[in-house]
Structures are given as structure tokens and as C-alpha cells.
Amino acid sequence: MMLNFLDALRAAGIPASIKEHLLLLEALDRDVIERRPEDFYYLARATYVKDEGLIDRFDQVFAKVFKGLLGQDGVEAEIPEEWLRLVAEKFLSPEEMEKIKSLGDWDEIMKTLKERLEEQKERHQGGSKWIGTGGTSPFGHGGYNPEGVRIGGESRHKRAIKVWEKREFANLDSNREIGTRNIKVALRRLRRFAREGAADELDLDATIRGTARQGWLDIRMRPERHNAVKLLLFLDVGGSMDPHIKLCEELFSAATSEFKNMEFFYFHNCLYEGVWKDNRRRFAERTPTWDVLHKYGHDYKVIFVGDAAMSPYEISHPGGSVEHMNEEAGAVWLQRVAHTYPATVWLNPAPAEHWSYSQSTRIIRDLMNERMYPLTLEGLDEAMRELTRKR
């Protein structure tokens, strides 16, 4: 099984060598960890993974190879309480959904939630008022309401305007192999070459001209030619972006290889006062958005990547974020970025024909001055033309 594990890591593109494999076996032989699956996972990850961008890929391989080991005899497990509490889900027809009315607006929903928390003393199932599961209440999960606060559980109808839970997102893989070079070709429209830095490359033409003119060998050097474009990439991650992970990883990988001067940051749904570089530490290690605006000059090109699918309150209202109480509306931060960086576009992985059905997509498209493009080869080509346009 251990050799199968090594082969699976290599097949997934993780550079695992025999030396690392022997080091892991030696650590196990010397009992450096307790003989528990969790400890073995962390030991193997520390041994094989040298790049944080590969951790998510390692997790997938580990789960595939060792699937079932955690459930062997002698390992105790508890069924999560919420599995038992969700006795039934609410399945409604489109006509029944139309009859269910929203509480009205953001302020009314949050005010009502506060009142429910003060009044409710026990669990409820299948109702239309209290915090519970399987009903039509605006608060809870497993049911349906056109606008509400999802508390725990999994998203089903993508209608929640706020989510009361801690969610973990995975970083995009910058080493993903791209099946086609077309994305790279589209991105190359944005390249602007310049020769800067140390003169460490032989200038053959100048050397020949100088030698012919001087009568002796006159070696001329020049700086290496490289792409001088500076790029800021903001990537929406988690939630409704999960179905688009493969496409976004391909774009991320292509951009990483094409642009030397590139910085990237993650956000969720809409840009607010903080962004982050590592999704595993997104609550502990955030970069203030103000710092980004002040650190990177106006000559940077900015690309947002996201499906723009969210509650309109997340864009228009303070406190509208599904994850925290933001002091300023997301629209304010998007306008600041667009004002600071004149060359800004938004790439949307959702089909363009669906944009008109989403109110939030229409709002963001308006904030971007209509510079929203589909994440297709044609859309990429149009976006790169827009970024290279003189202003």
C-alpha cells in the first residue's frame, strides 16, 4: 500500500522521491508519531509536500489510497448530531416556492433573526417561523425560503443572504497541467516586453557591429527581454465557484507561467476590506484591501475572476457579507479598485446567457462599467484587448 501511495502521489504531479519515501518509513520505524491515522496523515504531508499549493492535491490522493482505513475495528466514531436532527427536507414545486414570501429587506431579516434568537427555547422542524430544518422559515437549513440566513447544513437553493458557519476553502493549484495552450495564447495579448535589469545576455547584433567598427572583438551585453506587464489577480473561491474550480485552476496556472510580475489574492463572493493568499488561514492571515491599493501602483492591470452570483445585499449593504459583518458595502470596495486601477476587468466562468437572470451579476457588471467578460477563449481575448487599450 505504501508503494501504491508513492505511485499515486507521482501520478497526481506531486514530486515524491524515493528518498522522501524512505525518510517516511524510517520515521514510522522509529515511532516518531503515535500510531493513529491522523498523525500519519500529517507526517506524510510534511514529508512529501514542499509547496502549499499541492496540499489539496495531496489530500485527494491520501483519501483515495487510504479510504476505509479510518473505519477499521477499534476506531470509534460518532454520528454527527445534525445528521439525526435533519429528519426530513422540504421539497416544493416551483408554484409552491412562488407563494413563499420574503420578509422584505436586509434590515427586516436581521432584526427578525435577533428576535427569534431571544424568543426560541427549543428545536423546531418543518416550520415557517422558528430557526430549524426542513421548513420554509428564513432561518435554518434543509428547507426553502427566497431570502434568509442559512445556519449550518449544506446549501441547496443558493438563496441565503448570510451563512452562519465556518467554511473551509482549498487553494487553487498553480501547477495544474493545462490540456490546451489556447488560454496561454489568449493571455499573451497582454504581454509588453522590455529589457530591464543587469546586462547578462549577449547582444549578438551589437557585438558584430562593434567588432566590425573597432577592428577587434567588441563584446556587447544587454538585459534579458521579459514581460513588463504587472498583474493583480483577485480570485473568488468557495460556494458557487466550486463547479468552476478546474477552469479557474487552468487560468491561474497559465497566468502564473505567463506573467513574472503577478500578485494574486482570494476573496469570497464580493471584495471587502480584507483579502488573503491562503484559504486555510483566511481568517487568521488577511491582507487589508487598503494595503493592496497603496502597495501596487496604478500601472497594474487588474483581473477579477468570479461568477458574481450572490445575494444583492452582499454588494449593496454594510453587513451584507455571508461570512462577517463588513462595515462598508462591497460596491464601495469595487469602485475603489476600479478608480485606482483604470485597467480592470471581470472574468465570469458562468455562461453569459445566464447573466441577465442574476441581479447581483447585473450590479457588478454595472460597477465594472460593463467590462465583464465570459471565461471562454473569446471572452479572454476581448478582456485582454480591453486591458491593453490606451487610456
Side-chain angles (χ1 to χ4, degrees), residues 146-379:
E147 287 184 326
V149 179
R150 176 163 62 84
I151 303 175
E154 297 181 358
S155 176
R156 288 170 173 80
H157 300 286
K158 312 296 182 184
R159 293 280 188 166
I161 64 173
K162 204 168 189 67
V163 178
W164 194 335
E165 67 171 349
K166 180 179 180 181
R167 292 176 289 175
E168 300 297 336
F169 302 148
N171 293 334
L172 295 182
D173 190 345
S174 61
N175 294 318
R176 182 179 183 87
E177 290 295 329
I178 301 178
T180 174
R181 296 180 67 251
N182 290 339
I183 293 180
K184 288 186 177 182
V185 172
L187 290 176
R188 285 173 185 170
R189 284 191 176 276
L190 193 55
R191 295 189 300 183
R192 184 181 72 248
F193 288 103
R195 296 189 182 277
E196 300 173 350
D200 53 6
E201 179 181 272
L202 176 66
D203 189 339
L204 184 59
D205 292 337
T207 298
I208 294 174
R209 287 194 300 268
T211 300
R213 184 171 55 252
Q214 301 291 344
W216 61 81
L217 182 60
D218 185 15
I219 296 178
R220 301 291 181 91
M221 305 296 290
R222 65 185 179 184
E224 183 181 357
R225 186 171 178 259
H226 63 272
N227 187 6
V229 168
K230 301 174 183 178
L231 180 65
L232 267 177
L233 192 61
F234 291 96
L235 300 155
D236 184 7
V237 66
S240 58
M241 284 295 292
D242 286 347
H244 309 296
I245 285 178
K246 181 178 182 294
L247 180 58
C248 290
E249 283 186 335
E250 291 179 351
L251 174 68
F252 184 45
S253 181
T256 301
S257 65
E258 288 296 321
F259 300 102
K260 180 179 180 181
N261 299 315
M262 188 191 85
E263 292 290 340
F264 73 93
F265 296 94
Y266 293 113
F267 68 97
H268 180 56
N269 282 358
C270 190
L271 185 71
Y272 298 110
E273 70 279 1
V275 291
W276 57 93
K277 278 189 169 287
D278 189 338
N279 283 302
R280 291 177 298 276
R281 302 188 181 100
R282 64 193 181 99
F283 293 105
E285 297 180 7
R286 291 203 173 208
T287 301
T289 308
W290 271 125
D291 290 356
V292 176
L293 299 182
H294 291 150
K295 180 177 180 180
Y296 303 103
H298 302 313
D299 56 337
Y300 270 79
K301 313 290 187 182
V302 175
I303 298 178
F304 284 93
V305 181
D307 62 358
M310 67 196 84
S311 165
Y313 298 122
E314 295 182 60
I315 308 171
S316 60
H317 281 61
S321 167
V322 296
E323 296 191 313
H324 73 293
M325 298 301 292
N326 51 297
E327 295 184 0
E328 295 182 292
V332 174
W333 287 105
L334 290 176
Q335 289 170 337
R336 284 172 179 159
V337 171
H339 176 73
T340 303
Y341 304 102
T344 298
V345 298
W346 187 292
L347 296 177
N348 194 330
E353 57 269 22
H354 297 169
W355 294 356
S356 60
Y357 300 110
S358 169
Q359 184 179 354
S360 61
T361 304
R362 295 196 300 269
I363 294 174
I364 288 184
R365 192 176 182 184
D366 183 61
L367 291 170
M368 291 288 108
N369 296 317
E370 302 299 319
R371 290 177 295 187
M372 179 180 285
Y373 303 91
L375 189 45
T376 61
L377 295 178
E378 293 79 9

Side-chain angles (χ1 to χ4, degrees), residues 4-16 57 61 64 177:
N4 291 339
F5 183 39
L6 179 63
D7 291 339
L9 290 173
R10 289 173 170 176
I14 298 176
R57 196 184 301 186
V61 174
K64 179 180 179 181
E177 290 295 329

Side-chain angles (χ1 to χ4, degrees), residues 4-159:
N4 291 339
F5 183 39
L6 179 63
D7 291 339
L9 290 173
R10 289 173 170 176
I14 298 176
S17 67
I18 291 294
K19 181 179 179 181
E20 293 166 332
H21 183 64
L22 294 176
L23 180 63
L24 176 64
L25 295 179
E26 182 181 358
L28 293 174
D29 186 58
R30 296 188 179 186
D31 293 327
V32 299
I33 60 170
E34 295 185 22
R35 295 189 177 274
R36 296 186 304 177
E38 292 83 1
D39 293 339
F40 172 69
Y41 161 79
Y42 287 111
L43 176 63
R45 195 179 79 175
T47 303
Y48 289 121
V49 180
K50 303 298 187 295
D51 182 352
E52 289 186 345
L54 299 176
I55 290 180
D56 184 58
R57 196 184 301 186
F58 174 86
D59 290 347
Q60 297 178 38
V61 174
F62 189 91
K64 179 180 179 181
V65 173
F66 297 104
K67 182 179 181 182
L69 289 187
L70 299 182
Q72 289 181 349
D73 293 340
V75 179
E76 298 181 358
E78 294 181 0
I79 299 177
E81 184 180 0
E82 66 176 0
W83 293 9
L84 301 177
R85 285 185 174 271
L86 186 57
V87 179
E89 294 186 32
K90 195 73 172 179
F91 294 97
L92 303 173
S93 66
E95 292 76 15
E96 291 173 321
M97 290 182 180
E98 286 294 328
K99 296 179 182 179
I100 302 172
K101 303 299 181 183
S102 169
L103 288 178
D105 58 21
W106 169 263
D107 294 331
E108 185 65 26
I109 290 173
M110 301 311 293
K111 177 183 176 182
T112 305
L113 173 59
K114 183 178 180 181
E115 293 174 353
R116 296 286 192 274
L117 289 171
E118 294 174 349
E119 298 173 12
Q120 187 168 339
K121 304 300 181 183
E122 59 184 10
R123 175 185 175 272
H124 286 265
Q125 165 73 32
S128 61
K129 175 181 178 180
W130 299 108
I131 302 170
T133 57
T136 59
S137 167
F139 316 111
H141 72 90
Y144 173 82
N145 193 278
E147 287 184 326
V149 179
R150 176 163 62 84
I151 303 175
E154 297 181 358
S155 176
R156 288 170 173 80
H157 300 286
K158 312 296 182 184
R159 293 280 188 166

